[in-house]
Amino acid sequence: AAKHCGDNALSKSRSLKIGGQMYYYLEKDTKIIVGQGSEEHPRYFSVLASVIDNLGADNPMGYKFENGALSKSAEMLKSERDQEKARKLANLEIEIGSKIFPADEAAQTRMMIALKSAEISGVQSVKFPTVSGELVDVSAQELKQMIILCAQKLNEILGGVK
């Protein structure tokens, strides 16, 4: 949501030059805040810091300032989406029967190794850790189901087919 200030502070602040004032610097084409300093900058559009500081953002760097309002830039929104995806991937879990297993990248690698090991050795089951750390017996068929569930969950998170 955009945060507004009362008047068109962007155009007014450009003409103001008050000693001791701080400025935020905006890219001229995107109006994204890219820096700050104690003088107007010849390369950037300079806005009095007090104008932007009154809009309530803890750190306005990277925000877009337009028509007296702050909004998150496209880069900020993409970064937030990427961080959320990474968090979901790192905390991925799957359930087989009544057992819950970690399904992050390291666990997926362990699943593949355990399945291949079971197939090569011909054993009926292998020990595999649950999210609580308990080692439980898992059959080769359950390992296959786990791998399929991992792929489905990854597709959901990454925006692929569900």
Side-chain angles (χ1 to χ4, degrees):
K3 298 179 181 185
H4 293 277
C5 64
D7 55 22
N8 191 350
L10 187 62
S11 61
K12 287 184 178 182
S13 67
R14 187 177 180 111
S15 62
L16 293 176
K17 177 69 174 164
I18 301 170
Q21 290 290 329
M22 291 296 293
Y23 295 88
Y24 283 108
Y25 305 134
L26 284 65
E27 288 283 353
K28 290 182 179 178
D29 56 342
T30 64
K31 301 207 175 28
I32 293 174
I33 300 170
V34 294
Q36 66 185 55
S38 60
E39 297 179 1
E40 291 189 49
H41 197 287
R43 180 173 173 224
Y44 300 106
F45 193 76
S46 300
V47 177
L48 283 172
S50 60
V51 171
I52 292 175
D53 290 341
N54 286 334
L55 298 177
D58 290 336
N59 179 3
M61 294 299 173
Y63 277 81
K64 185 174 189 173
F65 181 70
E66 192 169 39
N67 300 321
L70 283 177
S71 60
K72 290 183 178 180
S73 66
E75 293 83 9
M76 289 178 79
L77 295 171
K78 182 183 181 316
S79 176
E80 287 176 359
R81 285 191 305 272
D82 290 348
Q83 288 174 8
E84 180 61 15
K85 280 182 185 179
R87 185 194 64 74
K88 286 181 179 180
L89 290 171
N91 295 301
L92 195 59
E93 296 178 350
I94 55 170
E95 188 172 344
I96 299 290
S98 61
K99 299 174 267 191
I100 301 174
F101 298 95
D104 60 6
E105 191 173 354
Q108 292 171 38
T109 300
R110 288 192 306 270
M111 287 174 204
M112 295 297 289
I113 292 169
L115 176 60
K116 195 65 171 168
S117 174
E119 289 174 348
I120 291 170
S121 66
V123 297
Q124 296 299 312
S125 66
V126 295
K127 297 283 187 189
F128 204 84
T130 63
V131 291
S132 67
E134 176 188 3
L135 288 176
V136 295
D137 287 321
V138 179
S139 69
Q141 185 59 37
E142 287 175 315
L143 285 167
K144 289 177 186 177
Q145 291 174 339
M146 291 164 67
I147 293 166
I148 290 168
L149 284 174
C150 285
Q152 290 171 346
K153 292 234 180 190
L154 284 173
N155 282 336
E156 288 173 16
I157 292 170
L158 299 174
V161 178
K162 292 182 182 175

